[in-house]
Amino acid sequence: MTAEQTAEPAPTAGQTAPPPAAEPAAAAAQAAHAAARVMQAAGPPKRRKNVKGRATAAGAPGSQEELVRLGPEVARTSERLRTGWHPVQLSSDDKAADIELDAAQLTASSQGGYRMARATHGAFSGTWYYEVRIDRLGRTGAARVGWATRQAELNAPVGADEHGFSYRSIEGSKVHKAWRDCYGEPYGEGDVIGCLLHLPEGGRPFELTAEDVVQYRGKLYFKEGDPAAPQLLAGSFVAFARNGVLQGKAYEDLTEGTYFPAVSLYSNRQVQPDSVRATVNLGERGFAFPPPAVQGCPPPRPACELAGPQPGVANGQQGQPGVVQQGQQPGSGGRADVKQLHEQQQQQVAGQPQAGDKAAMEAD
């Protein structure tokens, strides 16, 4: 058993809020968690003074009071409450405390047991792609990269539960529900791992937004609705590539939901003083390797487009060369034309050689 195999911390218990002192008995009986009378917010709640201990939320005058169940607490500075356009990055909120991010929020580093960081934006439909460069592992380091929903435990590797799918550096195995299976080639420092997600139309997001936030006793909480019953999404899959070489489909027919780019890192801090480090490439400046072609699958879009079009900025003029707007074809400007590369790869799969194939094979 390797040192990397010993770090699988248990999930932490969720937090609930105490009920008000004088809550009606009928309402308390049907609440799975503490119930509170709140005013539903029309948008991100603003700070407002509580009146006589009753929980309130900023809303339109005369709004109907509503009995809700309180879910997780959310900080007022949370990225999930931001409005307007923001670039796709690794989230400063949606990460384990031991994960450190650089100023651009694209490079993650960690010391200690497996810890995870997710991106700020996710997808519940479409075909998406991003890369992870393994910058440093050291003597004891390991990585698992892939896709995960917000329900995945952050103090654990991607794939440690049912909410994530990962490609593991050690042995090149794939991991889901903490079960490792043979999959592809192992990888290490300097390798670039491509992460592909395909979700056909029809999936539901199951994602809470700022409209689901209420205020109770001066704090903000997500409202907790009825338990979701996500279904399997036929035709969906995740696949990975190592240095441009597709390793095949890792998992198929995923459970519907919103999946985020996710990176998890491990090291033994008692043996290795240096942190483990990896950098995500969301496609704003092109990819290190062309996104892989999968038979019958549309060309993937770069994960940077999960943020949608940047308002007031024309395609190809995003301040960084070659950013492709949502819903538009890739254009010039220093970025590889993803659609053209995909078509070339499909022709190669069909046995039609392309110019430059010989040089590429010699380079390999």
Side-chain angles (χ1 to χ4, degrees):
M1 178 177 295
T2 65
E4 180 261 348
Q5 294 170 343
T6 65
E8 295 286 349
T12 56
Q15 182 180 8
T16 58
E23 192 65 52
Q30 54 182 279
H33 297 279
R37 291 190 178 278
V38 297
M39 304 274 293
Q40 180 164 359
K46 300 179 181 178
R47 186 180 297 275
R48 180 175 170 184
K49 184 177 180 181
N50 289 344
V51 180
K52 297 182 180 180
R54 298 180 65 186
T56 62
S63 298
Q64 294 292 323
E65 286 193 344
E66 173 186 21
L67 195 66
V68 301
R69 292 180 303 212
L70 300 182
E73 183 180 349
V74 55
R76 295 181 182 275
T77 56
S78 172
E79 292 171 334
R80 300 178 69 176
L81 301 185
R82 298 186 303 186
T83 58
W85 186 90
H86 295 276
V88 184
Q89 304 166 300
L90 293 176
S91 174
S92 60
D93 294 339
D94 201 16
K95 69 177 185 65
D98 289 341
I99 291 279
E100 295 183 357
L101 303 179
D102 69 340
Q105 293 182 218
L106 296 175
T107 297
S109 59
S110 178
Q111 287 181 305
Y114 260 123
R115 301 293 185 267
M116 185 196 309
R118 285 187 287 261
T120 53
H121 299 66
F124 65 92
S125 179
T127 307
W128 302 93
Y129 185 77
Y130 77 100
E131 290 178 337
V132 183
R133 185 184 69 231
I134 307 302
D135 298 320
R136 183 171 61 205
L137 291 180
R139 293 174 54 193
T140 67
R144 299 186 192 182
V145 302
W147 300 86
T149 68
R150 287 197 195 274
Q151 288 71 44
E153 172 59 47
L154 292 172
N155 291 309
V158 183
D161 49 37
E162 62 183 315
H163 306 295
F165 304 88
S166 72
Y167 179 21
R168 178 172 175 254
S169 60
I170 297 178
E171 299 175 348
S173 50
K174 61 181 182 180
V175 189
H176 175 57
K177 294 184 179 180
W179 188 266
R180 300 195 298 267
D181 284 307
C182 295
Y183 172 60
E185 299 174 331
Y187 60 90
E189 288 186 8
D191 286 332
V192 175
I193 305 303
C195 303
L196 175 66
L197 171 72
H198 176 63
L199 299 170
E201 296 292 334
R204 294 170 291 174
F206 296 107
E207 181 68 14
L208 297 175
T209 68
E211 295 182 354
D212 300 303
V213 173
V214 294
Q215 182 171 277
Y216 173 68
R217 294 182 178 175
K219 296 182 178 181
L220 303 183
Y221 298 87
F222 282 111
K223 292 187 297 183
E224 190 171 89
D226 294 330
Q231 305 297 313
L232 296 181
L233 190 58
S236 60
F237 67 86
V238 292
F240 300 96
R242 175 181 178 268
N243 297 332
V245 178
L246 181 65
Q247 305 295 294
K249 293 181 180 179
Y251 296 97
E252 300 183 68
D253 297 338
L254 316 182
T255 302
E256 61 182 338
T258 301
Y259 289 88
F260 297 77
V263 175
S264 55
L265 304 171
Y266 169 89
S267 71
N268 184 338
R269 71 177 67 195
Q270 296 179 343
V271 177
Q272 180 176 328
D274 295 332
S275 61
V276 176
R277 188 174 67 234
T279 300
V280 297
N281 176 8
L282 303 166
E284 288 185 334
R285 295 183 179 272
F287 293 112
F289 298 92
V294 178
Q295 193 72 35
C297 180
R301 296 166 61 183
C304 64
E305 290 186 12
L306 287 168
Q310 185 173 354
V313 180
N315 183 38
Q317 299 178 356
Q318 297 275 44
Q320 295 190 15
V323 174
V324 183
Q325 291 285 352
Q326 190 170 13
Q328 297 179 337
Q329 296 296 334
S332 60
R335 182 186 180 281
D337 189 325
V338 175
K339 184 173 185 293
Q340 181 181 9
L341 289 169
H342 179 84
E343 291 174 347
Q344 290 177 354
Q345 289 185 326
Q346 290 281 26
Q347 291 174 343
Q348 290 172 350
V349 171
Q352 301 178 20
Q354 298 293 309
D357 280 355
K358 182 177 180 180
M361 287 187 291
E362 290 174 352
D364 290 343

